[in-house]
Amino acid sequence: MTVSLEQEINPWEAQSARFDAATKKLNLDEGLVKILRYPNRELIVHIPVSMDNGKLEVFTGFRVQHSIARGPAKGGVRYSPDVTLDEVRALASWMTWKCAVVNIPFGGAKGGIICDPHKMSPGELERMTRRYTAELVEFIGPEKDVPAPDMNTNEQVMAWMMDTYSMHMRQTVTAVVTGKPINIGGSRGRREATGRGIMITCDQAIKKFGLRPENTRVIVQGFGNVGSNAARLMHEAGYKIIGIIEVDGSIYTKKGIDIEALWSYREKNRTLAGFTEAEKADPTELFQSECEILIPAATENQITSRNAAKIRCKILAEGANGPTTAAADEILAANKVFVIPDILCNAGGVTTSYFEWVQDRQGYFWKESVVNEQLADIMISSFNDVVRYADTHSVNNRIAAYMLAIDRVAYTVRQRGIYA
Ligand code: GLU
């Protein structure tokens, strides 16, 4: 069946294509397929915000809970001008599968607000976040649905969400969100966790190719929280980061970029542009350059049927959610690219969110070494589970991850029984 590019890049279609392939392979009962395919609940809110110019603006926000079968719904909130309900639905389902792949007791959710956060003042962002949270008060909670940061949201946004929810509850409820600042119930290691998880899965993957970090060239797309931490930790571990692709400047150097220096440069200048210790590069060319590991850590649909054949990495480590379309999967598989699928590769973030939630509920906080050790444990065993599943069932890593996850959720739904 041929699909248009527009259809190919619709995240809900991308999620559904893999879901259909996996459930077919699993030979899953038709009724269960229907239950797991669609989100449980979807909330759309239109929220007024007083802007700095004295006018009122109304923003549209979403929160989709795909599943609560294995525990409270869990997933981030993104701020972006292009957020759509279909995208949030797909991202919510991916959270269900992601939490199941790493076997943590959560379902899946996602939220978003259509806005351009780069054009808003801190005050406007705070008022928008608080009003959005107020609209979600009955919908979220430590036992119901636990938001976290995602694209363009951060620890500060989580602090505002936690505070707003707590004001409505008339008590401090730290476990309502994760990814908070450490002094108000955040976990040590959470900020770096997604990047660390990417590195851990890459460490496992390179072993399969007989590589060591020193002879592994890495290109990273995106230098936000995920990409920059993955690059920094991998650089520290000896990997050669030869390219960074960012909207405000892409850079390349054969000998490997000094990520510490780049990090300080970005802290000081708020941009990568003008960094002189590497050459300026064309982003499209760099994305298609030869390397051992390519890490798309920016946004969806970076690898489609249009460019998949031009990707020249051995290992594709998906730091972003949904960077590869379903049609591109087939091309990558034919070219023997070893894909570490998003729902495994970037699961370090939500896994450490789980640790944060546990710590908040216990009121007892772990040392960073304990967090990192527990994270490594889960990421390594999940990586091995997926790769073994792929071998046993003769499917690619992505379909293996979906099958493993869907099977776990389906098992729980069956065990609980269906209240129909
Ligand atoms: N936004 C992150 C993700 O897509 C983290 C979610 C969380 O920690 O709940 O996995």
Side-chain angles (χ1 to χ4, degrees):
M1 192 181 71
T2 47
V3 294
S4 65
L5 185 65
E6 197 188 331
Q7 224 180 329
E8 182 187 333
I9 64 170
N10 178 322
W12 178 250
E13 298 287 335
Q15 190 280 142
S16 305
R18 277 71 166 251
F19 175 84
D20 290 343
T23 47
K24 210 186 231 163
K25 273 256 168 205
L26 282 169
N27 215 354
L28 205 68
D29 170 82
E30 208 183 307
L32 269 177
V33 171
K34 280 190 204 153
I35 293 177
L36 299 179
R37 190 170 226 286
Y38 298 103
N40 277 169
R41 303 208 282 172
E42 306 181 339
L43 182 69
I44 303 178
V45 295
H46 301 288
I47 48 171
V49 177
S50 21
M51 305 304 278
D52 292 349
N53 64 7
K55 292 198 174 141
L56 275 176
E57 200 60 74
V58 174
F59 293 89
T60 299
F62 311 104
R63 184 75 185 168
V64 173
Q65 294 169 353
H66 172 260
S67 170
I68 53 165
R70 287 169 44 92
K74 185 82 191 83
V77 177
R78 62 173 54 181
Y79 290 172
S80 154
D82 328 300
V83 180
T84 64
L85 184 55
D86 257 2
E87 182 189 12
V88 178
R89 277 187 185 127
L91 289 158
S93 322
W94 280 326
M95 287 310 302
T96 305
W97 313 137
K98 194 185 298 188
C99 293
V101 166
V102 288
N103 217 352
I104 55 176
F106 286 137
K110 202 77 168 198
I113 303 181
I114 307 172
C115 66
D116 189 347
H118 304 296
K119 294 199 179 125
M120 295 170 71
S121 70
E124 289 169 343
L125 282 171
E126 177 172 354
R127 292 190 290 278
M128 182 180 77
T129 301
R130 286 187 182 279
R131 183 61 200 247
Y132 172 70
T133 310
E135 294 294 331
L136 297 187
V137 159
E138 292 91 1
F139 216 58
I140 59 174
E143 309 290 342
K144 291 183 180 172
D145 177 357
V146 185
D150 197 76
M151 212 181 272
N152 296 324
T153 54
N154 54 22
E155 291 174 14
Q156 178 61 75
V157 172
M158 292 307 113
W160 291 327
M161 287 190 81
M162 188 279 267
D163 183 70
T164 310
Y165 183 83
S166 297
M167 290 297 136
H168 283 264
M169 295 297 128
R170 298 279 185 260
Q171 59 181 344
T172 295
V173 186
T174 53
V176 66
V177 293
T178 59
K180 299 177 295 293
I182 287 177
N183 64 309
I184 50 168
S187 175
R188 293 186 177 84
R190 174 62 185 88
R191 196 184 292 169
E192 303 80 19
T194 311
R196 185 176 296 282
I198 294 170
M199 175 175 72
I200 297 168
T201 57
C202 287
D203 288 346
Q204 301 306 305
I206 62 169
K207 285 192 206 154
K208 303 208 154 284
F209 288 84
L211 292 163
R212 281 170 294 105
E214 298 71 34
N215 55 14
T216 302
R217 294 165 300 170
V218 183
I219 296 175
V220 184
Q221 181 198 41
F223 209 65
N225 180 261
V226 176
S228 66
N229 278 300
R232 188 171 57 85
L233 292 166
M234 289 175 82
H235 171 72
E236 266 170 34
Y239 285 87
K240 234 192 218 185
I241 317 292
I242 59 165
I244 301 280
I245 302 164
E246 245 303 350
V247 268
D248 59 356
S250 299
I251 51 173
Y252 170 83
T253 170
K254 212 168 135 186
K255 66 175 191 345
I257 302 165
D258 179 348
I259 302 292
E260 283 307 322
L262 181 66
W263 189 284
S264 334
Y265 181 88
R266 204 255 321 246
E267 291 279 279
K268 209 153 74 210
N269 302 283
R270 304 258 131 238
T271 171
L272 301 189
F275 182 72
T276 50
E277 289 171 49
E279 294 159 41
K280 243 175 96 174
D282 174 74
T284 311
E285 260 173 45
L286 189 51
F287 197 63
Q288 297 167 5
S289 296
E290 201 189 307
C291 59
E292 278 69 44
I293 304 182
L294 176 64
I295 307 181
T299 181
E300 290 114 67
N301 299 320
Q302 298 306 298
I303 305 173
T304 67
S305 55
R306 306 285 159 106
N307 66 351
K310 298 183 187 147
I311 298 298
R312 290 194 290 153
C313 59
K314 288 193 171 71
I315 298 164
L316 180 70
E318 296 185 334
N321 290 312
T324 308
T325 65
D329 275 350
E330 288 172 32
I331 303 168
L332 296 175
N335 291 344
K336 306 236 166 343
V337 176
F338 185 92
V339 176
I340 312 175
D342 49 4
I343 55 173
L344 166 67
C345 189
N346 71 36
V350 74
T351 301
T352 308
S353 277
Y354 166 53
F355 302 152
E356 180 171 332
W357 179 78
V358 167
Q359 292 171 76
D360 286 341
R361 285 154 48 106
Q362 289 190 328
Y364 175 73
F365 291 87
W366 310 350
K367 286 193 291 193
E368 190 167 344
S369 56
V370 174
V371 173
N372 292 345
E373 221 173 89
Q374 300 274 337
L375 174 65
D377 228 44
I378 291 187
M379 292 306 294
I380 294 170
S381 57
S382 307
F383 178 93
N384 290 331
D385 284 351
V386 169
V387 172
R388 211 176 307 122
Y389 203 100
D391 277 350
T392 331
H393 295 83
S394 304
V395 291
N396 64 41
N397 289 344
R398 180 168 338 264
I399 297 300
Y402 271 72
M403 286 173 72
L404 186 72
I406 294 169
D407 203 25
R408 281 184 180 152
V409 181
Y411 181 80
T412 310
V413 171
R414 251 191 251 114
Q415 205 171 37
R416 288 178 59 154
I418 297 155
Y419 187 17

